[in-house]
């Protein structure tokens, strides 16, 4: 069974992007950090050279793509993409293409680098980076095979969530605007693993559920798009906003900060695990059932209307 990581303390995780800003490179201490000789002396390896597309360029001399489908952006183009996609996503939170574009425009250079470093510091994370598995219908067991798994397994919870929400494992768009093939894969991996977090927590695909999960992801990964997505809370009704601020946001921030780095979970190897056992190992408490809370609120309103 693949081992899961112990995450860094919350304060260390929060300070990691600041450290990346000041050093501009990966930490040179810790397990399995490569070394090289300098004039006969052994010292830390120099940080890897940034991808060609990460170096300054203009629209007149755009560099070659770092991977199939990659579109290198200038700093100005990246800023325009971030502002434009944020505006559209705020008006229509279900424009997943705009949410994805916002995530790619704001993830680099520091936040993806922190996640990559967290993966490099952990054996399963390093294996994921080396093997680069993709989560799709082609790579996962068939839906009937998932439905045949033990009732409380992650696989059964995952396929039950897919069936209930009428989605498939193939709904995640490919990353296009993140420079560097490895960095792009980290973002793709998080994107494709999002539905497993829904299955793990039981949060549905409604605005409240997505916001709660985005808040969890923000606390766990520190990716700006997850935090920016919380602005959509302004679109909630008074009852929904009160429930989100009083119950689900505190749950998300507390659990996201204390939980394991979810980017290091090899979801495909955990399908047979008992989902309660996996939650406990990851340090994630199951939130209050949001579907039940919404049903109870609707029943309360109907009763109040009928009594009036």
């Amino acid at each position: 069974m693949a081992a899961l990581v112990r995450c860094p303390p919350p304060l260390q995780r929060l300070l990691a992007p600041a450290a990346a800003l000041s050093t501009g490179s990966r930490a040179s201490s810790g397990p399995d950090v490569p070394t090289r000789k300098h004039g006969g002396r052994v010292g830390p390896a120099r940080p890897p050279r940034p991808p060609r597309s990460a170096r300054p360029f203009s629209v007149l001399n755009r560099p070659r793509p770092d991977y199939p489908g990659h579109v290198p952006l200038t700093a100005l183009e990246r800023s325009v993409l971030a502002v434009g996609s944020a505006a559209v996503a705020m008006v229509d939170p279900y424009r997943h293409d705009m949410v994805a574009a916002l995530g790619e425009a704001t993830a680099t250079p520091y936040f993806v680098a922190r996640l990559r470093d967290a993966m490099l510091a952990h054996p399963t994370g390093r294996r994921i980076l080396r093997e680069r598995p993709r989560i799709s219908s082609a790579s996962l067991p068939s839906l009937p095979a998932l439905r045949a798994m033990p009732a409380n397994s992650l696989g059964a919870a995952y396929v039950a969530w897919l069936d209930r929400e009428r989605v498939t494992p193939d709904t995640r768009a490919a990353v296009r605007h993140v420079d560097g093939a490895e960095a792009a894969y980290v973002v793709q991996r998080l994107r494709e693993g999002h539905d497993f977090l829904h299955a793990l927590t039981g949060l549905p695909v409604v605005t409240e559920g997505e916001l709660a999960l985005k808040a969890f992801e923000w606390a766990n990964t520190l990716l700006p798009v997850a935090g920016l997505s919380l602005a959509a809370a302004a679109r909630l009704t008074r009852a929904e906003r009160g429930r989100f601020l009083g119950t689900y946001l505190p749950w998300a921030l507390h659990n996201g900060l204390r939980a394991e780095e979810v980017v290091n979970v090899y979801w495909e190897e955990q399908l047979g695990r008992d989902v309660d056992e996996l939650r406990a190992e990851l340090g994630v408490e199951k939130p209050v059932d949001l579907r039940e809370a919404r049903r109870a609120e609707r029943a309360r309103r109907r009763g109040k209307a009928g009594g009036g």
Side-chain angles (χ1 to χ4, degrees):
M1 186 64 62
L4 299 173
V5 325
R6 293 304 305 171
C7 67
L11 183 59
Q12 180 179 342
R13 185 183 297 175
L14 290 169
L15 292 177
L21 278 167
S22 62
T23 63
S25 65
R26 196 171 73 216
S28 60
S29 61
D32 295 340
V33 174
T35 59
R36 62 181 295 168
K37 292 185 178 180
H38 303 282
R41 294 178 293 106
V42 176
R46 293 194 183 103
R49 195 178 187 191
R52 184 189 301 271
S53 59
R55 302 168 209 160
F57 63 91
S58 74
V59 293
L60 299 179
N61 66 338
R62 200 179 297 274
R64 293 191 303 272
D66 294 330
Y67 51 88
H70 177 222
V71 180
L73 300 177
T74 65
L76 177 60
E77 288 173 326
R78 190 171 297 278
S79 299
V80 170
L81 178 64
V83 173
S85 57
V88 175
M90 182 62 186
V91 174
D92 183 1
Y94 292 98
R95 282 292 303 273
H96 301 300
D97 56 336
M98 291 294 99
V99 175
L102 177 61
E104 294 174 28
T106 57
T108 56
Y110 307 110
F111 299 98
V112 170
R114 189 203 75 81
L115 288 167
R116 181 205 61 194
D117 293 350
M119 297 179 78
L120 290 170
H122 176 258
T124 302
R126 287 195 297 274
R127 189 160 60 88
I128 291 172
L129 282 177
R130 183 172 64 250
E131 298 174 2
R132 296 193 184 182
R134 297 293 302 272
I135 298 174
S136 67
S137 297
S139 64
L140 293 173
S142 67
L143 296 184
L146 288 171
R147 294 186 187 104
M149 285 188 167
N152 207 45
S153 65
L154 176 65
Y158 176 64
V159 74
W161 184 85
L162 293 177
D163 291 341
R164 185 164 51 240
E165 304 298 340
R166 297 183 176 86
V167 295
T168 75
D170 304 311
T171 54
R172 301 296 170 184
V175 172
R176 301 176 60 217
H177 302 300
V178 175
D179 297 330
E182 187 173 66
Y185 175 74
V186 172
V187 176
Q188 189 74 46
R189 180 70 182 176
L190 280 170
R191 185 177 291 176
E192 292 176 353
H194 179 81
D195 290 347
F196 277 104
L197 293 177
H198 272 292
L200 192 74
T201 60
L203 290 168
V205 184
V206 295
T207 303
E208 280 181 87
E210 285 292 350
L211 286 176
L213 201 55
K214 286 296 184 184
F216 174 90
E217 289 180 316
W218 181 40
N220 192 262
T221 69
L222 304 185
L223 287 175
V225 64
L228 293 171
S229 298
L230 300 184
R235 299 173 58 87
L236 298 175
T237 66
R238 179 182 298 180
E240 290 171 341
R241 190 160 50 248
R243 188 164 53 230
F244 174 69
L245 295 176
T247 301
Y248 293 97
L249 182 61
W251 166 86
L253 298 179
H254 173 70
N255 282 270
L257 278 173
R258 75 169 192 161
E260 311 293 353
E261 299 267 11
V262 296
V263 72
N264 285 327
V265 180
Y266 213 133
W267 296 108
E268 301 90 320
E269 296 180 351
Q270 306 295 327
L271 293 172
R273 291 283 302 277
D274 182 273
V275 70
D276 295 326
E277 177 186 312
L278 182 58
R279 270 196 297 264
E281 189 169 331
L282 289 172
V284 178
E285 298 170 333
K286 188 174 182 180
V288 176
D289 190 317
L290 181 54
R291 291 182 186 84
E292 287 296 330
R294 289 165 64 88
R295 277 195 288 267
E297 174 65 21
R298 288 195 296 268
R300 186 190 66 79
R301 287 201 305 267
R302 284 197 298 269
K304 190 174 181 180

